[in-house]
Amino acid sequence: MSITSPDFTAPMSSFTLFVWIWIGIACLTFLSLFSITAPYGRHQRTGWGITIDNRLGWILMEVISPLTLLFFFLTGSQPKSKVVWVLVGLWVLHYINRSLIFPFRLRTDGKRMPLSIALMAVFFNLVNGFINGYYWGHIAEPYSDAWLTDWRFIVGMGLFIVGAFVNIQSDEILLRLRENNPNTYKIPQGGLYGWISSPNYFGEMVEWLGFALMAWSLPALAFALWTIANLFPRAIANHQWYLSKFTDYPPERKAVIPFIW
Ligand code: NDP
């Protein structure tokens, strides 16, 4: 790039305005999800319309993200720098796991989710894929190779890798709990479960905050904020669910941020 500090005196483009509005909606969503927990998984409940197979829902919701990102990135005429290929590659790798591997490992046989929730997630992934892909494909000045050694890229990459590791390890622990008992819930142990109830969410939030640092762009920041908006309130709801379901739930365990929350 030319990664430069944002010029707050420059007139705002309609794209930038769109991303800021999207960030505003994330803030409202964050607040509202403390009172309305999305009704899938352990928080599944009736009254949300027709339902679809849980596994199919996960594939549909998640595969849209890398497809949209790649479409807008590849159809744009902006030069494709090494750095941007790394960023796009990490995004696609994450979503290959989330949309094509994770759903086939779920042990939620017979479980369903509301179509309305799947469609909301499709919309969320569509917009986030669009703003990031469009930005890199059509708008952003190419990153220079020097960005590869900038502290933001290096620290962000470190956070992304640690976050992805924690996310995948924690999901793996949950999946193994179901090996002989599909659709039952147990108290997870191991990894960061010693400290928090939803380390998979903690890992995902760290991962995308790291990504936003690496990318140093408003659309990547918007996606990180949306991830927090979705997962932080749900982690609080998961923690309360564990406390109400298991009388022997470890009292020292926090909800989502080790030692703090
Ligand atoms: P959960 O932790 O609620 O569940 C993950 C899987 O483990 C589900 O199959 C669930 O079954 C099962 N499970 C959960 N707790 C237990 C337990 N105590 N005992 C046995 N099995 C259990 O995660 P989500 O389904 O909400 O999310 C899955 C992944 O997607 C996570 O990695 C999350 O970070 C990511 N995600 C990312 C979002 C984003 O905005 N970027 C948004 C939402 C999710 P069941 O479905 O039956 O409860």
Side-chain angles (χ1 to χ4, degrees):
M1 222 174 212
S2 339
I3 281 225
T4 50
S5 301
D7 177 2
F8 291 107
T9 58
M12 199 185 278
S13 71
S14 46
F15 177 81
T16 304
L17 179 63
F18 177 83
V19 179
W20 276 114
I21 292 172
W22 186 234
I23 289 175
I25 299 172
C27 296
L28 296 176
T29 304
F30 175 72
L31 295 176
S32 63
L33 287 178
F34 282 102
S35 41
I36 309 167
T37 303
Y40 73 88
R42 80 192 78 204
H43 303 289
Q44 167 85 333
R45 51 197 186 276
T46 54
W48 284 74
I50 57 170
T51 58
I52 56 169
D53 176 72
N54 188 59
R55 196 186 316 276
L56 176 65
W58 272 102
I59 298 168
L60 289 179
M61 293 189 298
E62 304 296 323
V63 80
I64 200 79
S65 169
L67 293 180
T68 312
L69 179 97
L70 283 173
F71 175 80
F72 286 103
F73 173 62
L74 294 174
T75 55
S77 57
Q78 284 301 86
K80 313 284 189 282
S81 61
K82 274 185 210 149
V83 173
V84 87
W85 278 114
V86 172
L87 294 168
V88 169
L90 291 177
W91 186 296
V92 171
L93 267 181
H94 172 92
Y95 276 100
I96 287 176
N97 175 51
R98 180 66 69 236
S99 63
L100 300 177
I101 298 174
F102 176 76
F104 291 100
R105 304 198 56 227
L106 291 173
R107 292 173 186 270
T108 53
D109 299 349
K111 240 182 163 168
R112 302 181 71 77
M113 72 163 71
L115 178 62
S116 52
I117 290 297
L119 291 178
M120 279 184 227
V122 165
F123 181 69
F124 155 80
N125 280 324
L126 201 62
V127 177
N128 284 307
F130 160 69
I131 56 176
N132 282 281
Y134 189 84
Y135 180 71
W136 290 323
H138 295 256
I139 296 177
E141 289 299 314
Y143 296 79
S144 75
D145 288 354
W147 186 249
L148 291 166
T149 51
D150 187 282
W151 72 267
R152 288 163 289 192
F153 187 82
I154 293 167
V155 174
M157 171 82 97
L159 288 172
F160 183 90
I161 291 170
V162 169
F165 176 81
V166 169
N167 174 255
I168 292 170
Q169 179 201 43
S170 311
D171 275 342
E172 187 64 34
I173 289 172
L174 292 181
L175 295 175
R176 279 209 224 110
L177 284 179
R178 292 256 171 103
E179 256 164 14
N180 301 314
N181 312 287
N183 286 343
T184 57
Y185 292 97
K186 293 183 189 163
I187 300 177
Q189 306 288 356
L192 263 63
Y193 284 102
W195 293 331
I196 48 177
S197 295
S198 295
N200 50 349
Y201 294 176
F202 173 72
E204 181 112 16
M205 291 189 286
V206 170
E207 188 180 341
W208 292 110
L209 281 171
F211 188 87
L213 190 57
M214 281 175 83
W216 203 252
S217 73
L218 191 61
L221 176 66
F223 182 52
L225 294 177
W226 263 102
T227 299
I228 294 168
N230 283 331
L231 295 183
F232 190 92
R234 191 171 180 84
I236 305 292
N238 285 356
H239 187 63
Q240 279 155 2
W241 178 91
Y242 276 120
L243 291 173
S244 68
K245 190 161 171 75
F246 298 99
T247 50
D248 56 342
Y249 198 68
E252 71 285 357
R253 208 175 274 193
K254 299 284 184 191
V256 64
I257 301 184
F259 311 113
I260 299 175
W261 211 315

